[in-house]
């Protein structure tokens, strides 16, 4: 089974984490199963950007980014070439390294 390394985030995950993930699960579902509380204001419906993450390693092993996700990512803060919505990006068979941005557009506030 692949693993996900989450780089440290000063609020969500100060020490970072390394978790085992199930192929086919999303990054968000894997994180939540391991008590990593990534925001997801739209309840995984690809309607907001609160679960935005940046893939530092293993980007090509994730599921394809669909047009709806790309359109939604256009609204995110700190978007990079290898940005994904963690609610949409399904884990492949390779390990990945994920950075959670410092800021997100939070529709709950």
């Amino acid at each position: 089974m692949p693993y996900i390394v989450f780089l440290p985030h000063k609020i969500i995950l100060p020490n970072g984490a390394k978790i085992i993930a199930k192929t086919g699960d999303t990054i968000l579902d894997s994180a939540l199963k391991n008590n990593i509380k990534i925001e997801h204001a739209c309840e995984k419906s690809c309607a907001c950007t609160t679960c935005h993450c940046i893939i530092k390693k293993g980007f090509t092993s994730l599921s394809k980014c669909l047009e709806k996700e790309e359109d939604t990512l256009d609204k995110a803060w700190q978007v990079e070439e290898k940005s994904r919505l963690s609610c949409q990006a399904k884990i492949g068979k390779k390990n990945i390294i994920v950075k959670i941005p410092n800021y997100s557009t939070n529709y709950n506030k």
Side-chain angles (χ1 to χ4, degrees):
M1 293 182 102
Y3 63 82
I4 304 172
V5 172
F6 287 93
L7 298 175
H9 181 281
K10 64 182 178 180
I11 297 169
I12 298 170
L13 206 57
N15 297 316
K18 181 178 179 179
I19 64 170
I20 294 179
K22 182 180 174 188
T23 299
D25 279 358
T26 64
I27 294 171
L28 178 60
D29 286 335
S30 296
L32 295 174
K33 286 178 188 175
N34 286 274
N35 217 21
I36 299 170
K37 305 208 183 307
I38 297 175
E39 286 189 75
H40 52 288
C42 71
E43 294 300 320
K44 309 175 192 176
S45 67
C46 195
C48 75
T49 62
T50 57
C51 72
H52 168 229
C53 64
I54 300 162
I55 311 305
K56 294 298 195 177
K57 182 178 178 186
F59 184 83
T60 58
S61 71
L62 298 172
S63 61
K64 184 179 176 185
C65 188
L66 301 178
E67 187 174 347
K68 182 177 180 181
E69 180 182 357
E70 289 174 351
D71 291 345
T72 304
L73 274 169
D74 286 341
K75 303 170 197 164
W77 288 65
Q78 298 178 321
V79 173
E80 295 185 11
E81 184 180 334
K82 294 184 178 178
S83 287
R84 293 294 305 266
L85 296 178
S86 64
C87 70
Q88 300 299 303
K90 292 183 182 176
I91 307 294
K93 296 183 181 192
K94 295 184 180 178
N95 303 329
I96 62 171
I97 298 175
V98 175
K99 176 183 176 189
I100 301 168
N102 291 329
Y103 304 100
S104 70
T105 305
N106 189 336
Y107 293 100
N108 285 335
K109 291 185 180 178

